[in-house]
Amino acid sequence: MKRLTEIIVEYSKKYINKNNDWYNWREINEDKLPMGIELPEGNQYVKNVVLKKELNKKWKEAKSDEDRLILIKYYIATWGGIHTNSKESMEEYSKLSATQLIKNGKKGIASWSKAIVVHNPDEYAIFDARVAISLNCIQKLYGLKDAVLFPVLPSRNKIVAIGNKLIKDTAKSESWEKANEENFYTQYLKILNYVAIELSTNISTIEMLLFAKAEEIVENTYPNN
């Protein structure tokens, strides 16, 4: 029986290479980069990997809460496109430790997981609706027997939203176990680390692949919907 880690290794091997041109999410507006950050020439994969490192470097150099808030606001709102957080939430994301934020569970995870990537991109990775649907659908796609339903997060993307409904129906009809609210994010990081080691890459690359391939994975899992 294949484990989820082995499935993601198998899937990732099809795409991960020296260029990783599959990551062509919206282009970074380099005019809006904070605190003097500059990005190298290259594709969007290269720019996004460097962006995480540069944000982390500025985070470690930050001398004030204001500077940290600028970095967190940039990554969640400007880069991430999430504009619904309150001022209080943004301050929380910029002041609390990664350990404290992880205790929030799925509440606000698309935001707080971006915040802790700024804290340390080698240790933490983004978890959002696209990553979640990929993790869930890939288990159905590859016929994993002991499937686990990771938190299903709302999405404005039509294909992801349809996938959310279908995978919940599948999980119910096939009696999937639900991921533990308290430790699913830690389990997710363990999966990414395992796959990254197997493929001699980093956890950001595996997360970015799951993110980028979300619609494709949904459509391959449910081709008639």
Side-chain angles (χ1 to χ4, degrees), residues 93-178:
Y93 297 148
S94 66
K95 290 179 180 178
L96 296 185
S97 68
T99 303
Q100 289 172 310
L101 289 172
I102 289 169
K103 289 179 180 177
N104 283 334
K106 70 178 183 180
K107 182 183 177 183
I109 192 168
S111 293
W112 67 248
S113 63
K114 291 179 180 68
I116 64 176
V117 166
V118 176
H119 293 195
N120 187 345
D122 294 324
E123 189 170 348
Y124 304 113
I126 296 168
F127 187 101
D128 61 10
R130 296 176 65 90
V131 169
I133 195 62
S134 289
L135 281 173
N136 286 326
C137 280
I138 207 167
Q139 297 180 78
K140 175 67 176 173
L141 184 62
Y142 279 75
L144 186 67
K145 298 300 182 186
D146 296 326
V148 175
L149 185 69
F150 284 84
V152 176
L153 305 179
S155 175
R156 291 173 292 181
N157 181 287
K158 288 183 179 179
I159 295 173
V160 173
I162 290 169
N164 282 345
K165 182 181 183 302
L166 293 169
I167 202 66
K168 283 195 282 188
D169 290 344
T170 294
K172 186 176 181 180
S173 66
E174 297 181 2
S175 301
W176 287 21
E177 180 184 345
K178 281 192 175 181

Side-chain angles (χ1 to χ4, degrees), residues 20-21 73 182 203:
N20 294 329
D21 285 327
K73 273 186 176 179
E182 293 183 1
I203 63 172

